[in-house]
Amino acid sequence: MLDKYQREIVRAKEKNILVVASPGSGKTTVIINRTGYLINERAIDPSSIVIITFTRAAAINMRERFKKLFPEIQAPYFGTFHSLCYSILKRERGEINIISEREGYYIIEKVLKSYVEEVNEDRVRDILNYISAYKTGFKTFKELEDNINLNILKECIEGYEKYKSLKGLLDFDDLQLQTLELFKKNQQLLEDYRKRFKYLLVDEFQDCDQLQIDILKELGKGNSIFAVGDEDQCIYGFRGARPDYMVSFKENFEGGVKKFLMVNYRSVKNIVDMSAKLIDNNKIRNKKSFSSINAQKGCISTESFFDERAQSDSIAKRILKGVKGKRENFSDNAVLYRTNMEARSFIDAFIKNKVPFRLLDKSYNFFDHTICKDLISYMLLGQDLSNREAFKRIINKPFRYISKVNLERLSAYKYKEDCFYILSNICSLPIFQYRELQRLRKDLVNMARCPLVDLTDYILMRLEYRKYLVSYCKKYGASLEEVEEIISEFKEAVKDFSDIGSFLGHVKEVKEKLSRKAPDSEDSVILSTIHGVKGMEFKNVYVINCVDGNIPFKREGKESCLEEERRLFYVAITRAKENLYLSLCKYMRGKCKEQSPFIYECGIREIIDRSEDYSIGSLVEHEAFGKGEVVSVSVGVIGIKFHDGLIRHFDIHKLKLYNILKKMA
């Protein structure tokens, strides 16, 4: 059943139409019914209709929904921009071969390994994105030089393009670029395709980049464009998407008109009202008003915690309570964050509290980051000097003049012995190398006596791993700020463990949990970046770490687009159907934080402080003094009576910072 606004748009007679749709207003429903209307009531040949989506999954889903709603009708073409361009090029040129993700990775990895021994997977992915941005004209070399050494980038581009040329391969950008070039060079061919594709329906129009807009303009001349989107949900600016294409639709498509879908069928009224208040602060948008079909009020809660550990533990227990009370399922809940790194504390908390979870970004594991692997290898070697894999990984980080030839001799040695002993005895090392190895061995032995909480700093400073990281960043144009964040997060990760063995056991458990392929139907909490849940909805949504610098996201020396960051937060809060929980931490990775300005813009004034939750009568356990009872609480100071009868006073901030006091159930 369509409402009157949807029905009016489905039956609209104008040639070029932009449907400006709010979250949960039935965008997909409108496109499907518009297609059925064209075929059934306007007698349009299905072969002249093209429905363009932004993902293959969306195209498949939309096609299936169309066939279910209109089983008697021949389905038109449903596909992405890339698949449409592929079909055109294949028809005109014959067989088209696409470079695989694995091949692309291999080429970039090969170039990078000429500069550095180990290549970070995330870095390879970043460089492939930089190549795409450069090829499509979205970014210049000048704009990319803050992210990477330009000489390395140019060599990567040269190697990548040369490989494709030799193998006769294209990538997804090539499909669009060459299709557009074909249209511009062959006017007759373009006219043929204009006659072939008379009706173009585009989903998620706000995600189009300039290249895709140009293709639509070429094919759409004299034809009908029916585009559906929401500039307020334009969150892929890093890929070239721009909200102004929604605002300037009339300028790009002759005689274009805008129609509005403003009734939200997803969220309760107070969530819709709050999101409208937030996004109204943006300037690049179509002015519109929102309403909700659901007049009920859901829960909107904003809570402040001391740190990420307290935040994740509290949310894990809240979800468990809801499930145990048989009010909801685990899958009713989603935890959303700005960056993948923030998932780490929740993975730990969910494992500890036995909360089933599923990461939408299945490839992400914080402990798989190169820096984490290095730190863990140092720990493993400190525990076992015969661990060859750990030794080979870190021995030249920083550079200690151990050659590949000598490392190969180490690998080939058939007896399991102290790596330092093997190298010293089977290799003819210069005296300075021998002394360097002995010094490192002594430091590793001493490391075993170091408390786990201080171990990371010991590796960084005493073993000079920080020196290696600084030189790496300078050489390859990597961000030292990002490196520091990873180190800080790693330090947070070890705080919950008393010794190296228990921490390494946890790292192994995390890896096993994340490698398990759980079916999508499994009842589990969703963990995802905000980008990853666009188009999805959940009964309960937890948006975490709503602090300035994270939401909106900021990097030193780089000003993010405030409007896009606001749109991203808007997308996050509009995923919630009934209940929305916003949380922030006073301390993130050891740094004091202020709440996000977006919280004020939502009209929220009251924030529940969960960071100072000790009260008189609370039973606690101190790491050194054992069990006790809280007998006094004043500003920043807590008094505890222990079993020995003595009352001791503590700075609450330090207790929480070093995690040496725990509340007892």
Side-chain angles (χ1 to χ4, degrees):
M1 288 289 291
L2 301 175
D3 66 28
K4 65 177 184 179
Y5 306 107
Q6 293 169 336
R7 197 158 48 249
E8 178 191 320
I9 290 169
V10 164
R11 304 179 70 84
K13 297 293 193 291
E14 293 90 346
K15 183 171 279 188
N16 292 325
I17 300 169
L18 173 66
V19 181
V20 183
S22 67
S25 61
K27 294 190 289 291
T28 304
T29 299
V30 165
I31 289 178
I32 291 169
N33 280 275
R34 172 73 173 181
T35 307
Y37 163 77
L38 290 173
I39 298 169
N40 274 343
E41 298 193 36
R42 298 265 297 271
I44 304 299
D45 184 347
S47 64
S48 66
I49 299 174
V50 173
I51 296 95
I52 300 173
T53 67
F54 268 82
T55 66
R56 185 171 175 270
I60 293 169
N61 174 263
M62 200 176 289
R63 190 174 191 275
E64 287 175 352
R65 286 179 61 179
F66 177 86
K67 288 170 71 176
K68 189 175 180 180
L69 193 60
F70 302 101
E72 76 286 354
I73 298 179
Q74 176 194 334
Y77 179 90
F78 289 86
T80 63
F81 274 103
H82 298 129
S83 66
L84 177 64
C85 291
Y86 175 87
S87 300
I88 292 170
L89 290 176
K90 187 177 181 180
R91 188 168 184 262
E92 301 307 319
R93 297 179 178 177
E95 191 62 35
I96 300 291
N97 295 306
I98 305 296
I99 186 170
S100 68
E101 187 177 344
R102 180 185 57 79
E103 287 175 291
Y105 185 96
Y106 167 77
I107 298 156
I108 304 303
E109 183 184 50
K110 190 177 178 181
V111 174
L112 293 180
K113 279 190 172 180
S114 66
Y115 292 91
V116 62
E117 283 188 17
E118 187 190 356
V119 177
N120 183 350
E121 187 178 334
D122 291 339
R123 195 62 174 162
V124 174
R125 195 180 296 124
D126 286 342
I127 290 173
L128 286 167
N129 289 333
Y130 300 152
I131 292 172
S132 174
Y134 174 72
K135 282 177 63 177
T136 58
F138 172 53
K139 292 278 187 180
T140 64
F141 279 135
K142 183 70 178 172
E143 290 170 314
L144 289 168
E145 68 179 349
D146 289 338
N147 303 306
I148 186 173
N149 180 297
L150 289 185
N151 290 327
I152 296 175
L153 178 60
K154 288 173 182 177
E155 195 173 331
C156 286
I157 293 173
E158 186 181 339
Y160 180 74
E161 294 299 329
K162 187 177 179 180
Y163 179 89
K164 287 194 299 156
S165 179
L166 286 171
K167 298 285 186 178
L169 301 172
L170 301 180
D171 61 20
F172 288 138
D173 291 324
D174 294 328
L175 293 175
Q176 296 183 141
L177 286 164
Q178 292 191 19
T179 299
L180 189 60
E181 185 182 14
L182 195 66
F183 288 163
K184 289 182 175 180
K185 285 184 176 179
N186 192 331
Q187 191 63 33
Q188 185 55 55
L189 183 75
L190 175 58
E191 287 298 332
D192 290 344
Y193 277 102
R194 284 172 178 167
K195 289 174 183 176
R196 182 180 175 90
F197 304 138
K198 301 291 289 182
Y199 294 86
L200 298 158
L201 290 82
V202 186
D203 191 24
E204 305 290 1
F205 183 74
Q206 77 281 345
D207 293 336
C208 289
D209 59 26
Q210 185 61 60
L211 189 56
Q212 290 158 346
I213 292 291
D214 290 343
I215 291 170
L216 286 174
K217 285 165 77 171
E218 293 291 349
L219 285 174
K221 193 172 181 180
N223 290 330
S224 172
I225 301 286
F226 184 89
V228 180
D230 181 9
E231 71 280 0
D232 294 335
Q233 297 184 70
C234 181
I235 58 174
Y236 297 115
F238 59 90
R239 290 198 316 225
R242 287 165 40 189
D244 50 309
Y245 295 137
M246 292 279 297
V247 180
S248 62
F249 182 79
K250 296 177 183 178
E251 284 74 42
N252 286 314
F253 300 98
E254 189 180 355
V257 298
K258 294 178 185 177
K259 297 183 180 292
F260 295 83
L261 284 175
M262 295 296 105
V263 179
N264 187 311
Y265 288 88
R266 174 187 299 154
S267 306
V268 293
K269 186 177 184 304
N270 55 338
I271 292 176
V272 172
D273 291 345
M274 187 186 84
S275 64
K277 190 174 290 186
L278 167 77
I279 203 63
D280 197 47
N281 288 279
N282 273 7
K283 302 290 186 288
I284 307 172
R285 64 190 296 265
N286 294 292
K287 289 294 179 183
K288 45 193 180 268
S289 57
F290 302 96
S291 65
S292 173
I293 201 73
N294 190 343
Q296 293 182 337
K297 287 188 176 183
C299 172
I300 298 177
S301 171
T302 305
E303 297 178 312
S304 170
F305 297 93
F306 179 77
D307 59 11
E308 290 177 273
R309 185 188 295 105
Q311 174 185 238
S312 56
D313 200 51
S314 176
I315 291 172
K317 288 173 179 173
R318 176 177 289 164
I319 292 171
L320 271 175
K321 186 178 179 182
V323 173
K324 286 178 179 177
K326 298 182 178 180
R327 296 192 303 273
E328 57 198 37
N329 300 314
F330 287 112
S331 56
D332 289 326
N333 301 278
V335 177
L336 309 183
Y337 34 83
R338 181 62 180 82
T339 62
N340 269 314
M341 199 189 303
E342 297 163 70
R344 200 274 313 160
S345 66
F346 277 86
I347 292 169
D348 288 1
F350 284 1
I351 289 174
K352 182 175 74 175
N353 290 282
K354 295 180 170 55
V355 175
F357 65 92
R358 180 162 62 91
L359 265 73
L360 286 191
D361 185 354
K362 296 173 184 174
S363 66
Y364 180 77
N365 179 0
F366 172 72
F367 297 116
D368 280 344
H369 193 283
T370 294
I371 294 173
C372 297
K373 284 183 174 180
D374 289 346
L375 291 168
I376 290 167
S377 291
Y378 267 113
M379 291 179 179
L380 287 167
L381 191 60
Q383 284 198 315
D384 179 8
L385 296 172
S386 68
N387 190 322
R388 294 183 194 181
E389 289 306 311
F391 182 91
K392 288 189 290 184
R393 183 175 184 90
I394 59 85
I395 190 58
N396 283 318
K397 296 177 180 179
F399 190 56
R400 297 184 177 98
Y401 306 97
I402 306 301
S403 68
K404 285 185 179 180
V405 172
N406 284 337
L407 289 176
E408 286 169 4
R409 288 174 180 169
L410 173 68
S411 298
Y413 192 75
K414 61 182 178 179
Y415 301 110
K416 185 179 179 180
E417 291 184 28
D418 181 325
C419 294
F420 297 88
Y421 171 83
I422 297 169
L423 277 181
S424 300
N425 284 274
I426 69 170
C427 304
S428 300
L429 299 176
I431 189 66
F432 79 91
Q433 283 188 30
Y434 177 80
R435 287 174 176 169
E436 178 71 17
L437 281 177
Q438 291 308 307
R439 185 177 73 83
L440 176 60
R441 188 185 186 281
K442 183 181 177 182
D443 286 339
L444 285 166
V445 170
N446 289 335
M447 190 175 77
R449 296 192 290 269
C450 187
L452 181 60
V453 71
D454 299 324
L455 203 55
T456 306
D457 282 330
Y458 185 92
I459 295 167
L460 289 164
M461 306 311 293
R462 181 70 184 178
L463 306 184
E464 300 184 321
Y465 182 60
R466 184 183 292 278
K467 178 180 169 183
Y468 161 77
L469 292 174
V470 171
S471 66
Y472 179 92
C473 289
K474 284 181 180 177
K475 190 173 181 180
Y476 303 111
S479 168
L480 187 58
E481 187 184 3
E482 288 181 32
V483 166
E484 293 291 354
E485 283 193 355
I486 293 159
I487 292 169
S488 296
E489 188 67 28
F490 189 86
K491 287 179 178 180
E492 289 296 316
V494 303
K495 280 183 179 179
D496 276 337
F497 303 92
S498 56
D499 56 74
I500 295 178
S502 59
F503 170 66
L504 294 176
H506 172 71
V507 171
K508 185 180 178 182
E509 184 181 8
V510 169
K511 187 170 184 172
E512 288 171 352
K513 286 274 187 184
L514 297 183
S515 61
R516 186 179 71 89
K517 292 183 179 178
D520 292 348
S521 58
E522 184 177 271
D523 186 27
S524 52
V525 180
I526 291 294
L527 290 174
S528 176
T529 61
I530 302 169
H531 285 99
V533 292
K534 188 167 172 286
M536 301 174 74
E537 59 185 37
F538 308 90
K539 180 181 177 182
N540 309 315
V541 168
Y542 297 85
V543 187
I544 65 167
N545 298 329
C546 301
V547 297
D548 196 19
N550 193 57
I551 298 176
F553 191 70
K554 295 175 186 174
R555 283 269 182 235
E556 192 175 323
K558 290 184 185 178
E559 209 51 49
S560 59
C561 175
L562 189 61
E563 291 215 354
E564 176 150 338
E565 289 293 314
R566 188 178 286 111
R567 290 194 294 270
L568 191 61
F569 190 58
Y570 174 79
V571 166
I573 64 180
T574 55
R575 299 312 93 195
K577 294 196 290 185
E578 295 183 21
N579 305 305
L580 175 65
Y581 303 95
L582 307 176
S583 59
L584 55 132
C585 303
K586 290 185 177 180
Y587 288 85
M588 271 185 74
R589 302 177 195 124
K591 294 181 180 178
C592 185
K593 298 292 182 180
E594 298 292 330
Q595 73 182 62
S596 168
F598 295 160
I599 289 178
Y600 291 115
E601 292 179 3
C602 287
I604 295 171
R605 296 290 179 264
E606 185 180 351
I607 298 174
I608 302 167
D609 192 345
R610 302 289 191 196
S611 65
E612 310 292 351
D613 53 359
Y614 294 111
S615 57
I616 294 173
S618 295
L619 299 178
V620 295
E621 185 172 8
H622 191 279
E623 195 175 82
F625 301 110
K627 295 177 181 178
E629 181 182 342
V630 177
V631 293
S632 66
V633 179
S634 58
V635 180
V637 179
I638 185 172
I640 303 170
K641 185 176 182 179
F642 293 96
H643 285 184
D644 60 6
L646 294 176
I647 297 175
R648 296 177 174 90
H649 293 86
F650 304 92
D651 183 307
I652 294 177
H653 168 73
K654 288 182 179 179
L655 288 175
K656 293 193 173 189
L657 186 63
Y658 297 108
N659 196 33
I660 55 179
L661 188 71
K662 294 180 180 178
K663 287 187 75 174
M664 297 171 64

